[in-house]
Amino acid sequence: MIKKIYILILIFITSCANLNTTFSTSPFVPLISNLFVGGESIELSDEYISNQPYSFVRADFGQGPNVILVLQKIENGFYTWTSEYQEKITTYNGKIVKTQGLIQNVEILNPSKFKYFSNSNNYTGEFNTLLKDPRAFIEQQFAISMIEQTETLLFEEKIYIEPLNQRYSNFYWLDGKTGQAVKTKQKIHPNLPTIRLDFIYKY
């Protein structure tokens, strides 16, 4: 048992070292392999939205054009969105908790810990997060609080990754009537830019 724990610790330390060297010294590349810099961005006009038969998200990956991912399924509150090239993003209450087919992928192993509301309006905890490119396990400490309340509710999620000494904030805009996420800005990987998601629901 002790030997297994020792091996896991070595893997974790090596993975963190790889994170600090591989990503911090490499130029940024688009998160989606089929995303080309200089392409045309998609405007969410009333006409464009009305022409779409399914719920979708418009994803801005920080460089190049934005991408449309269509809602593929809903299962126990987890929404899976798929692009035309089969990249997948899974969200839970608007938070990206798993990705597939991106250049860097991530999976939160305890995603149901993410929630907006608590009795104190200040919810804290820890996400167990698996980074897959390179592979590493990290713990993300979080604190969520509502910072604006109008017709749209705005929440801030403060993230702290102690082994990498990184702090950043994610933001979530919720419809005040339905409680559904309408827009988010979030980092899914320590050394990648912020991803913006605009949610369009079709009923």
Side-chain angles (χ1 to χ4, degrees):
M1 181 67 181
I2 295 175
K3 185 176 181 180
K4 288 182 179 178
I5 293 174
Y6 179 70
I7 291 172
L8 286 173
I9 291 172
L10 284 178
I11 292 172
F12 174 72
I13 293 172
T14 303
S15 299
C16 288
N18 286 339
L19 276 174
N20 284 322
T21 56
T22 302
F23 288 107
S24 61
T25 59
S26 300
F28 170 69
V29 294
L31 295 184
I32 287 184
S33 57
N34 294 292
L35 183 60
F36 297 98
V37 176
E40 185 176 347
S41 293
I42 298 166
E43 180 183 354
L44 292 180
S45 63
D46 291 340
E47 180 182 4
Y48 181 86
I49 293 173
S50 65
N51 287 333
Q52 306 309 308
Y54 307 109
S55 297
F56 66 93
V57 294
R58 181 183 66 174
D60 184 341
F61 291 92
Q63 188 169 345
N66 40 46
V67 177
I68 296 296
L69 297 97
V70 175
L71 181 61
Q72 181 183 34
K73 66 178 180 179
I74 305 174
E75 187 174 359
N76 298 323
F78 292 88
Y79 287 59
T80 300
W81 313 85
T82 306
S83 77
E84 64 176 313
Y85 296 107
Q86 298 304 303
E87 291 92 358
K88 296 180 187 293
I89 289 176
T90 300
T91 60
Y92 182 74
N93 292 330
K95 180 177 178 64
I96 297 173
V97 296
K98 184 179 180 180
T99 65
Q100 296 173 263
L102 306 188
I103 291 177
Q104 281 83 29
N105 289 286
V106 64
E107 181 177 3
I108 295 177
L109 303 179
N110 55 341
S112 59
K113 278 206 162 190
F114 179 74
K115 63 181 182 179
Y116 297 106
F117 301 100
S118 66
N119 294 332
S120 64
N121 191 33
N122 190 3
Y123 178 54
T124 62
E126 191 171 79
F127 295 126
N128 299 322
T129 306
L130 182 63
L131 307 179
K132 300 181 179 181
D133 307 286
R135 191 175 182 86
F137 175 82
I138 60 174
E139 294 175 341
Q140 297 179 315
Q141 299 173 29
F142 69 85
I144 302 171
S145 59
M146 184 164 58
I147 60 176
E148 185 177 311
Q149 184 175 11
T150 57
E151 292 183 358
T152 302
L153 309 179
L154 175 57
F155 289 83
E156 180 180 13
E157 176 192 41
K158 295 182 179 179
I159 298 289
Y160 175 50
I161 305 174
E162 184 176 3
L164 303 180
N165 193 28
Q166 287 200 358
R167 298 178 186 269
Y168 52 86
S169 289
N170 297 326
F171 296 93
Y172 305 85
W173 288 259
L174 273 60
D175 185 289
K177 294 180 180 179
T178 66
Q180 289 183 306
V182 294
K183 180 175 71 173
T184 70
K185 292 181 178 180
Q186 52 188 299
K187 285 176 69 75
I188 64 169
H189 198 285
N191 289 341
L192 290 175
T194 299
I195 296 174
R196 169 177 168 156
L197 297 181
D198 294 291
F199 296 82
I200 302 297
Y201 304 99
K202 307 283 286 193
Y203 301 102

